[in-house]
Amino acid sequence: MADHVVERPEYAGDFEGTVRVEYTPHPDDGVADPGEVVWTWVPFEENDGRGKDRPVLVVAVEPRGTYLAVQLTSKDHDGQGDFVSVGAGGWDGEHRPSWVNLDRVIRVHEGGMRREAAALPREPFERVTGRLQQRYGWR
């Protein structure tokens, strides 16, 4: 799926706070679970109302029914920013290696997810959430 720029000003904002994370993917049940990669609209960091449709890793579900996710990228950032390698998977049609960007935790509404793409294996999920726990003080 090609990335494209879209206007979408109703974004609820980046997440700040603490949460409990748990690996619970069930890719066939039609609901996004922690450990699954889904596609959703992600605003640009400039927060100017523009963004792209991108794959994100769901890391937690908030009690109010929103999901917390971190963005995936196939671009190697060569030490710039806080990225964790998660390998290749079905979320990328070319099966390129991917990295998770830990610099932002985004809030995703259930209706804003485009499709379920794949479940990340437990080991890379735990590496990602371990780094999120260190960085943000999550449990």
Side-chain angles (χ1 to χ4, degrees):
M1 177 179 284
D3 290 341
H4 61 280
V5 177
V6 295
E7 297 291 328
R8 184 173 245 163
E10 69 273 23
Y11 177 62
D14 292 358
F15 174 78
E16 294 182 13
T18 61
V19 296
R20 179 178 168 83
V21 295
E22 185 177 9
Y23 182 76
T24 57
H26 297 83
D28 294 332
D29 69 0
V31 176
D33 301 302
E36 293 180 29
V37 177
V38 299
W39 283 77
T40 190
W41 179 81
V42 176
F44 294 147
E45 290 185 47
E46 295 82 9
N47 202 17
D48 61 4
R50 297 178 309 137
K52 287 184 181 181
D53 200 46
R54 305 191 56 88
V56 297
L57 171 63
V58 176
V59 294
V61 179
E62 291 185 290
R64 64 183 184 189
T66 53
Y67 299 82
L68 300 180
V70 287
Q71 177 181 316
L72 275 80
T73 181
S74 60
K75 295 179 185 172
D76 185 353
H77 289 268
D78 196 29
Q80 297 176 349
D82 195 358
F83 292 84
V84 174
S85 173
V86 295
W91 54 86
D92 182 276
E94 298 175 33
H95 294 281
R96 296 171 290 187
S98 295
W99 290 262
V100 169
N101 181 354
L102 302 182
D103 290 334
R104 296 173 71 195
V105 177
I106 61 171
R107 195 176 263 126
V108 181
H109 298 281
E110 185 173 355
M113 289 180 255
R114 304 290 185 265
R115 65 180 172 92
E116 291 190 46
L120 194 68
R122 180 183 290 274
E123 191 277 328
F125 177 82
E126 289 178 350
R127 272 191 286 118
V128 168
T129 56
R131 291 275 297 277
L132 287 168
Q133 290 166 335
Q134 289 173 346
R135 181 171 179 160
Y136 298 108
W138 294 5
R139 299 179 297 241

